[in-house]
Amino acid sequence: MAEPHVPQKSPYAVELAPGDYFWCACGGSKRQPFCDGTHKGGPFTPVKFTVAEAQKVWLCGCKHTGKQPLCDGTHQKI
């Protein structure tokens, strides 16, 4: 199984407005932590998630979380 690229070993803390977002699962996007289409033709697909109200979230930067797209601390083990 292919492994995603690790753009950083810590979460991305981002303030998000209500709406739909696509989290980069391959790790190759130039717009981390969001998808820019770099995954096309590869084994990864972005993860769509919805924010109902404005809030700060911690999105996984190592791409190995078990709670995609949110950080679960896995970066401390890789």
Side-chain angles (χ1 to χ4, degrees):
M1 182 170 163
E3 290 288 320
H5 172 70
V6 178
Q8 74 178 35
K9 288 188 177 181
S10 60
Y12 293 93
V14 291
E15 295 278 349
L16 298 177
D20 293 331
Y21 296 90
F22 290 88
W23 173 77
C24 170
C26 73
S29 174
K30 301 284 188 261
R31 294 184 50 231
Q32 289 296 329
F34 303 105
C35 178
D36 69 0
T38 300
H39 67 277
K40 291 184 178 163
F44 299 98
T45 57
V47 175
K48 181 181 179 182
F49 67 101
T50 302
V51 173
E53 59 186 48
Q55 61 184 292
K56 185 175 188 175
V57 296
W58 287 263
L59 298 175
C60 177
C62 75
K63 309 303 176 183
H64 288 81
T65 182
K67 294 178 147 185
Q68 294 181 345
L70 303 174
C71 176
D72 68 0
T74 300
H75 61 274
Q76 296 172 356
K77 300 173 188 166
I78 59 171

Coordinates of all heavy atoms in Angstrom, one line a residue:
M1 N 0.8 -1.2 0.0 CA 0.0 0.0 0.0 C 0.9 1.2 0.0 O 1.9 1.3 0.7 CB -0.9 0.0 1.2 CG -1.8 1.1 1.3 SD -3.0 0.9 2.6 CE -3.6 2.5 2.8
A2 N 0.5 2.2 -0.8 CA 1.3 3.5 -0.9 C 1.2 4.3 0.4 O 0.1 4.3 1.1 CB 0.8 4.3 -2.0
E3 N 2.2 4.9 0.8 CA 2.2 5.8 1.9 C 2.2 7.3 1.5 O 2.8 7.7 0.5 CB 3.5 5.6 2.7 CG 3.6 4.3 3.4 CD 2.7 4.2 4.6 OE1 2.6 5.2 5.4 OE2 2.1 3.1 4.8
P4 N 1.4 8.1 2.2 CA 1.3 9.5 1.9 C 2.6 10.2 2.2 O 3.4 9.8 3.1 CB 0.2 10.0 2.7 CG 0.1 9.1 3.9 CD 0.6 7.8 3.4
H5 N 2.9 11.3 1.5 CA 4.0 12.2 1.8 C 3.7 12.9 3.2 O 2.5 13.2 3.4 CB 4.2 13.2 0.7 CG 5.2 14.3 1.0 ND1 6.6 14.0 1.1 CD2 5.1 15.6 1.3 CE1 7.2 15.2 1.4 NE2 6.3 16.1 1.6
V6 N 4.7 13.1 4.0 CA 4.5 13.8 5.3 C 4.9 15.3 5.1 O 6.1 15.6 5.2 CB 5.2 13.1 6.5 CG1 5.0 13.9 7.8 CG2 4.8 11.7 6.6
P7 N 4.0 16.2 4.9 CA 4.5 17.6 4.7 C 4.9 18.3 6.0 O 5.8 19.2 6.0 CB 3.2 18.3 4.2 CG 2.1 17.4 4.5 CD 2.6 16.1 4.6
Q8 N 4.4 17.9 7.2 CA 4.9 18.4 8.5 C 4.4 17.4 9.6 O 3.4 16.8 9.5 CB 4.5 19.8 8.7 CG 3.0 20.0 9.1 CD 2.7 21.5 9.4 OE1 3.3 22.4 8.8 NE2 1.9 21.7 10.4
K9 N 5.2 17.3 10.6 CA 4.9 16.4 11.7 C 4.2 17.1 12.9 O 4.6 16.9 14.0 CB 6.2 15.7 12.2 CG 6.7 14.7 11.2 CD 7.9 13.9 11.8 CE 8.4 12.8 10.9 NZ 9.4 12.1 11.5
S10 N 3.3 17.9 12.5 CA 2.4 18.6 13.5 C 1.1 19.0 12.8 O 1.1 19.1 11.5 CB 3.1 19.9 14.0 OG 3.5 20.8 13.0
P11 N 0.1 19.3 13.5 CA -1.2 19.7 12.9 C -1.1 21.1 12.3 O -0.3 21.9 12.7 CB -2.2 19.6 14.0 CG -1.4 19.7 15.2 CD 0.0 19.2 15.0
Y12 N -2.0 21.4 11.4 CA -2.3 22.7 10.9 C -3.4 23.3 11.7 O -4.5 22.7 11.6 CB -2.7 22.7 9.4 CG -1.6 22.2 8.5 CD1 -1.4 20.9 8.1 CD2 -0.7 23.1 8.0 CE1 -0.4 20.5 7.3 CE2 0.4 22.7 7.1 CZ 0.5 21.4 6.8 OH 1.5 21.0 5.9
A13 N -3.2 24.4 12.4 CA -4.3 25.0 13.1 C -4.9 26.1 12.2 O -4.2 27.0 11.8 CB -3.8 25.7 14.4
V14 N -6.1 25.9 11.8 CA -6.8 26.8 10.9 C -8.1 27.3 11.4 O -8.9 26.5 12.0 CB -6.9 26.2 9.5 CG1 -5.6 26.0 8.8 CG2 -7.6 24.9 9.5
E15 N -8.4 28.6 11.1 CA -9.7 29.1 11.4 C -10.5 29.0 10.1 O -10.2 29.4 9.1 CB -9.6 30.6 11.7 CG -8.8 30.9 13.0 CD -9.7 30.8 14.2 OE1 -10.9 30.7 14.1 OE2 -9.1 30.8 15.3
L16 N -11.7 28.3 10.2 CA -12.5 28.0 9.1 C -13.9 28.6 9.2 O -14.5 28.6 10.3 CB -12.7 26.5 8.9 CG -11.4 25.7 8.6 CD1 -11.7 24.2 8.5 CD2 -10.7 26.2 7.3
A17 N -14.4 29.2 8.1 CA -15.7 29.7 8.0 C -16.6 28.5 7.7 O -16.2 27.5 7.2 CB -15.8 30.7 6.9
P18 N -17.9 28.6 7.9 CA -18.9 27.6 7.5 C -18.7 27.2 6.0 O -18.5 28.1 5.2 CB -20.2 28.1 7.8 CG -20.0 29.2 8.9 CD -18.6 29.7 8.5
G19 N -18.8 25.9 5.7 CA -18.7 25.5 4.3 C -18.1 24.1 4.2 O -17.8 23.5 5.2
D20 N -17.9 23.7 2.9 CA -17.3 22.4 2.6 C -15.8 22.6 2.3 O -15.4 23.6 1.6 CB -18.0 21.8 1.4 CG -19.4 21.4 1.7 OD1 -19.7 21.1 2.9 OD2 -20.2 21.4 0.8
Y21 N -15.0 21.7 2.7 CA -13.5 21.7 2.5 C -13.0 20.4 2.1 O -13.7 19.3 2.3 CB -12.8 22.2 3.8 CG -13.1 23.5 4.2 CD1 -14.2 23.8 5.1 CD2 -12.4 24.6 3.8 CE1 -14.5 25.0 5.5 CE2 -12.7 25.9 4.2 CZ -13.8 26.1 5.1 OH -14.1 27.4 5.4
F22 N -11.9 20.3 1.4 CA -11.3 19.1 1.0 C -9.8 19.0 1.5 O -9.0 19.8 1.1 CB -11.2 19.0 -0.5 CG -12.6 18.8 -1.1 CD1 -13.4 19.8 -1.5 CD2 -13.1 17.5 -1.3 CE1 -14.7 19.7 -2.0 CE2 -14.4 17.3 -1.8 CZ -15.2 18.4 -2.2
W23 N -9.6 18.1 2.5 CA -8.3 17.9 3.1 C -7.5 17.0 2.2 O -7.9 16.0 1.7 CB -8.5 17.2 4.5 CG -7.3 16.8 5.2 CD1 -6.5 17.6 5.9 CD2 -6.9 15.5 5.4 NE1 -5.5 16.9 6.5 CE2 -5.7 15.5 6.2 CE3 -7.3 14.2 4.9 CZ2 -5.0 14.4 6.5 CZ3 -6.6 13.1 5.3 CH2 -5.4 13.2 6.1
C24 N -6.2 17.4 2.0 CA -5.3 16.7 1.2 C -4.9 15.4 2.0 O -4.4 15.5 3.1 CB -4.0 17.5 1.0 SG -2.6 16.6 0.2
A25 N -5.1 14.2 1.4 CA -4.7 12.9 2.0 C -3.4 12.4 1.4 O -2.7 11.6 2.1 CB -5.8 11.9 1.7
C26 N -2.9 12.9 0.3 CA -1.7 12.4 -0.3 C -0.4 13.1 0.2 O 0.7 12.5 0.2 CB -1.7 12.6 -1.8 SG -1.5 14.2 -2.5
G27 N -0.6 14.3 0.8 CA 0.5 15.1 1.3 C 1.3 15.8 0.3 O 2.3 16.5 0.6
G28 N 0.9 15.8 -1.0 CA 1.6 16.5 -2.1 C 1.1 17.9 -2.4 O 1.8 18.6 -3.2
S29 N 0.0 18.3 -1.9 CA -0.6 19.6 -2.3 C 0.3 20.7 -1.9 O 0.9 20.7 -0.8 CB -2.0 19.7 -1.5 OG -2.5 21.0 -1.7
K30 N 0.3 21.7 -2.7 CA 1.0 23.0 -2.4 C 0.2 23.9 -1.6 O 0.7 24.9 -1.2 CB 1.4 23.7 -3.7 CG 2.3 22.8 -4.7 CD 3.7 22.7 -4.2 CE 4.6 22.1 -5.2 NZ 4.8 20.7 -5.0
R31 N -1.1 23.5 -1.3 CA -2.0 24.4 -0.5 C -2.3 23.7 0.8 O -3.4 23.8 1.3 CB -3.3 24.6 -1.3 CG -3.1 25.4 -2.6 CD -4.5 25.7 -3.2 NE -5.4 26.2 -2.3 CZ -6.7 25.7 -2.1 NH1 -7.1 24.7 -2.8 NH2 -7.5 26.2 -1.3
Q32 N -1.3 23.0 1.4 CA -1.6 22.3 2.7 C -2.3 23.2 3.7 O -2.0 24.3 3.8 CB -0.3 21.8 3.3 CG 0.4 20.7 2.5 CD -0.4 19.4 2.5 OE1 -1.2 19.1 3.4 NE2 -0.3 18.7 1.4
P33 N -3.2 22.6 4.4 CA -3.6 21.2 4.5 C -4.7 20.8 3.5 O -5.3 19.7 3.5 CB -4.1 21.0 5.9 CG -4.8 22.3 6.2 CD -3.9 23.3 5.5
F34 N -5.0 21.7 2.5 CA -6.1 21.5 1.6 C -5.6 20.9 0.3 O -4.5 21.1 -0.1 CB -6.9 22.8 1.4 CG -7.4 23.3 2.7 CD1 -6.8 24.4 3.3 CD2 -8.5 22.7 3.4 CE1 -7.2 24.9 4.5 CE2 -8.9 23.2 4.6 CZ -8.3 24.3 5.2
C35 N -6.6 20.2 -0.4 CA -6.3 19.6 -1.7 C -6.1 20.6 -2.8 O -6.9 21.6 -2.9 CB -7.4 18.6 -2.0 SG -7.2 17.8 -3.6
D36 N -5.2 20.4 -3.7 CA -5.0 21.2 -4.9 C -5.0 20.4 -6.2 O -4.8 20.8 -7.3 CB -3.7 22.1 -4.9 CG -2.5 21.2 -5.0 OD1 -2.5 20.0 -5.1 OD2 -1.4 21.8 -5.0
G37 N -5.4 19.1 -6.0 CA -5.5 18.2 -7.2 C -4.3 17.4 -7.5 O -4.2 16.6 -8.4
T38 N -3.2 17.5 -6.7 CA -1.9 16.8 -6.9 C -2.1 15.3 -6.9 O -1.4 14.6 -7.6 CB -0.9 17.3 -5.9 OG1 -0.7 18.7 -5.9 CG2 0.4 16.5 -6.0
H39 N -3.1 14.8 -6.2 CA -3.3 13.4 -6.1 C -3.7 12.7 -7.3 O -3.7 11.4 -7.4 CB -4.4 13.1 -5.0 CG -5.7 13.6 -5.4 ND1 -6.1 14.9 -5.3 CD2 -6.8 13.0 -6.1 CE1 -7.3 15.1 -5.8 NE2 -7.7 13.9 -6.2
K40 N -4.2 13.4 -8.3 CA -4.8 12.8 -9.5 C -3.9 11.8 -10.2 O -2.7 12.1 -10.4 CB -5.2 13.9 -10.5 CG -6.4 14.7 -10.0 CD -6.9 15.7 -11.0 CE -8.1 16.3 -10.3 NZ -8.5 17.6 -10.9
G41 N -4.4 10.6 -10.4 CA -3.6 9.5 -11.0 C -2.9 8.7 -10.0 O -2.3 7.7 -10.3
G42 N -3.1 9.0 -8.7 CA -2.4 8.2 -7.6 C -3.5 7.5 -6.8 O -4.7 7.5 -7.1
P43 N -3.0 6.8 -5.8 CA -3.9 6.0 -4.9 C -4.7 6.8 -3.9 O -5.5 6.2 -3.2 CB -2.9 5.0 -4.3 CG -1.7 5.8 -4.1 CD -1.6 6.7 -5.4
F44 N -4.5 8.1 -3.8 CA -5.1 8.9 -2.7 C -6.3 9.7 -3.3 O -6.2 10.2 -4.4 CB -4.1 9.8 -2.0 CG -3.0 9.0 -1.3 CD1 -1.8 8.8 -2.0 CD2 -3.2 8.4 -0.1 CE1 -0.8 8.1 -1.4 CE2 -2.2 7.7 0.5 CZ -1.0 7.5 -0.1
T45 N -7.3 10.0 -2.4 CA -8.3 10.9 -2.7 C -8.5 11.9 -1.6 O -8.3 11.5 -0.4 CB -9.7 10.2 -3.0 OG1 -10.0 9.4 -1.9 CG2 -9.6 9.3 -4.2
P46 N -8.9 13.1 -1.8 CA -9.1 14.1 -0.7 C -10.3 13.7 0.1 O -11.2 12.9 -0.3 CB -9.3 15.4 -1.5 CG -9.8 15.0 -2.8 CD -9.2 13.7 -3.1
V47 N -10.3 14.2 1.3 CA -11.4 13.9 2.3 C -12.2 15.2 2.4 O -11.7 16.2 2.8 CB -10.8 13.5 3.7 CG1 -11.9 13.4 4.7 CG2 -10.0 12.2 3.6
K48 N -13.5 15.0 2.0 CA -14.4 16.2 2.1 C -14.9 16.2 3.6 O -15.3 15.2 4.1 CB -15.6 16.0 1.2 CG -16.5 17.2 1.2 CD -17.7 16.9 0.2 CE -18.7 18.1 0.3 NZ -19.8 17.9 -0.6
F49 N -14.9 17.5 4.1 CA -15.6 17.7 5.4 C -16.3 19.0 5.4 O -16.0 19.9 4.6 CB -14.5 17.6 6.5 CG -13.5 18.6 6.6 CD1 -13.6 19.7 7.5 CD2 -12.4 18.6 5.7 CE1 -12.6 20.7 7.5 CE2 -11.4 19.6 5.8 CZ -11.5 20.7 6.7
T50 N -17.3 19.1 6.3 CA -18.1 20.3 6.4 C -18.0 20.9 7.7 O -18.0 20.2 8.8 CB -19.6 19.9 6.1 OG1 -19.7 19.3 4.8 CG2 -20.5 21.1 6.1
V51 N -17.9 22.2 7.7 CA -17.8 23.0 9.0 C -19.2 23.8 9.1 O -19.6 24.5 8.1 CB -16.7 24.0 8.9 CG1 -16.7 25.0 10.1 CG2 -15.4 23.3 8.9
A52 N -19.9 23.5 10.2 CA -21.3 24.1 10.3 C -21.2 25.6 10.8 O -22.1 26.4 10.5 CB -22.1 23.3 11.2
E53 N -20.2 25.8 11.7 CA -20.1 27.2 12.2 C -18.6 27.6 12.2 O -17.7 26.7 12.3 CB -20.7 27.3 13.6 CG -20.1 26.4 14.6 CD -20.9 26.4 15.9 OE1 -22.1 26.3 15.9 OE2 -20.2 26.5 17.0
A54 N -18.3 28.8 12.2 CA -16.9 29.3 12.2 C -16.2 28.7 13.4 O -16.7 28.8 14.6 CB -16.8 30.8 12.2
Q55 N -15.0 28.1 13.2 CA -14.3 27.5 14.3 C -12.8 27.3 14.0 O -12.5 27.3 12.8 CB -14.9 26.2 14.7 CG -14.9 25.2 13.6 CD -15.7 23.9 14.0 OE1 -15.2 23.2 14.9 NE2 -16.8 23.7 13.4
K56 N -12.0 27.1 15.0 CA -10.6 26.7 14.8 C -10.5 25.2 14.8 O -11.1 24.6 15.8 CB -9.7 27.4 15.9 CG -8.3 27.1 15.7 CD -7.4 27.9 16.7 CE -6.0 27.8 16.4 NZ -5.2 28.6 17.3
V57 N -9.8 24.6 13.9 CA -9.7 23.2 13.9 C -8.2 22.8 13.7 O -7.4 23.7 13.2 CB -10.5 22.5 12.8 CG1 -12.0 22.6 13.0 CG2 -10.2 23.0 11.4
W58 N -7.8 21.6 14.1 CA -6.4 21.2 13.9 C -6.5 20.0 12.9 O -6.8 18.9 13.3 CB -5.8 20.7 15.3 CG -5.6 21.9 16.1 CD1 -4.4 22.5 16.3 CD2 -6.5 22.7 17.0 NE1 -4.5 23.6 17.1 CE2 -5.8 23.7 17.6 CE3 -7.9 22.5 17.2 CZ2 -6.4 24.6 18.4 CZ3 -8.5 23.4 18.1 CH2 -7.7 24.5 18.7
L59 N -6.0 20.3 11.7 CA -6.0 19.3 10.6 C -4.7 18.6 10.6 O -3.6 19.2 10.7 CB -6.3 20.0 9.3 CG -7.7 20.7 9.2 CD1 -7.8 21.4 7.9 CD2 -8.8 19.7 9.4
C60 N -4.7 17.3 10.4 CA -3.6 16.5 10.4 C -2.5 16.9 9.3 O -2.9 17.2 8.2 CB -4.0 15.0 10.1 SG -2.6 13.9 9.9
G61 N -1.3 17.1 9.7 CA -0.2 17.4 8.8 C 0.7 16.3 8.4 O 1.3 16.3 7.4
C62 N 0.6 15.2 9.2 CA 1.5 14.0 8.9 C 0.8 13.0 7.9 O 1.4 12.1 7.3 CB 1.9 13.3 10.1 SG 0.6 12.3 10.9
K63 N -0.5 13.2 7.8 CA -1.4 12.4 6.8 C -1.6 10.9 7.3 O -2.0 10.1 6.5 CB -0.8 12.4 5.4 CG -0.6 13.8 4.9 CD -1.8 14.7 4.9 CE -1.5 16.1 4.5 NZ -2.7 17.0 4.6
H64 N -1.3 10.6 8.6 CA -1.4 9.3 9.1 C -2.5 9.2 10.2 O -2.6 8.1 10.8 CB -0.1 8.8 9.6 CG 0.9 8.5 8.5 ND1 1.7 9.4 7.9 CD2 1.2 7.3 7.9 CE1 2.4 8.9 6.9 NE2 2.2 7.6 7.0
T65 N -3.2 10.2 10.4 CA -4.2 10.2 11.5 C -5.3 9.1 11.2 O -5.6 8.8 10.1 CB -4.9 11.6 11.6 OG1 -5.9 11.5 12.6 CG2 -5.7 11.9 10.3
G66 N -5.9 8.6 12.3 CA -7.0 7.7 12.2 C -8.3 8.4 12.2 O -9.3 7.8 12.2
K67 N -8.3 9.7 12.4 CA -9.5 10.5 12.5 C -9.5 11.6 11.3 O -9.8 12.7 11.5 CB -9.6 11.3 13.8 CG -9.7 10.4 15.0 CD -9.7 11.3 16.2 CE -10.6 10.7 17.3 NZ -10.8 11.5 18.4
Q68 N -9.2 11.1 10.1 CA -9.2 12.1 9.0 C -10.4 13.0 8.9 O -11.5 12.5 9.1 CB -9.1 11.3 7.7 CG -7.8 10.5 7.5 CD -7.8 9.8 6.2 OE1 -8.8 9.7 5.5 NE2 -6.7 9.3 5.8
P69 N -10.2 14.3 8.8 CA -9.0 15.0 8.5 C -8.3 15.6 9.8 O -7.4 16.3 9.7 CB -9.5 16.2 7.7 CG -10.8 16.5 8.2 CD -11.4 15.1 8.6
L70 N -8.9 15.3 11.0 CA -8.4 15.9 12.2 C -7.2 15.2 12.8 O -7.0 14.0 12.6 CB -9.5 15.9 13.3 CG -10.8 16.6 12.8 CD1 -11.9 16.4 13.9 CD2 -10.6 18.0 12.6
C71 N -6.3 15.9 13.4 CA -5.2 15.4 14.1 C -5.6 14.5 15.3 O -6.4 14.9 16.1 CB -4.3 16.6 14.6 SG -2.8 16.0 15.5
D72 N -4.9 13.4 15.4 CA -5.2 12.5 16.6 C -3.9 12.2 17.3 O -3.9 11.4 18.2 CB -5.9 11.2 16.2 CG -5.0 10.3 15.3 OD1 -3.8 10.6 15.0 OD2 -5.5 9.2 15.0
G73 N -2.8 13.0 17.0 CA -1.5 12.8 17.7 C -0.6 11.7 17.1 O 0.5 11.5 17.6
T74 N -1.0 11.1 16.0 CA -0.2 10.1 15.4 C 1.2 10.6 15.0 O 2.1 9.8 15.0 CB -0.9 9.5 14.1 OG1 -2.2 8.9 14.6 CG2 -0.1 8.4 13.4
H75 N 1.3 11.9 14.7 CA 2.6 12.5 14.3 C 3.6 12.3 15.4 O 4.8 12.3 15.1 CB 2.4 14.0 14.0 CG 2.0 14.8 15.1 ND1 0.6 15.0 15.4 CD2 2.6 15.5 16.0 CE1 0.5 15.7 16.5 NE2 1.7 16.1 16.9
Q76 N 3.3 12.1 16.6 CA 4.2 11.8 17.7 C 4.9 10.5 17.6 O 5.9 10.2 18.3 CB 3.5 12.0 19.0 CG 3.0 13.5 19.2 CD 2.2 13.6 20.5 OE1 1.9 12.7 21.2 NE2 1.8 14.9 20.7
K77 N 4.3 9.6 16.8 CA 4.8 8.2 16.7 C 5.5 7.9 15.4 O 6.0 6.8 15.2 CB 3.6 7.2 16.9 CG 2.9 7.4 18.2 CD 1.7 6.5 18.2 CE 0.9 6.8 19.5 NZ -0.4 6.3 19.4
I78 N 5.6 8.9 14.5 CA 6.2 8.6 13.2 C 7.5 9.4 13.1 O 7.8 10.3 13.8 CB 5.3 8.9 12.0 CG1 4.9 10.4 11.9 CG2 4.1 8.0 12.0 CD1 4.2 10.7 10.7

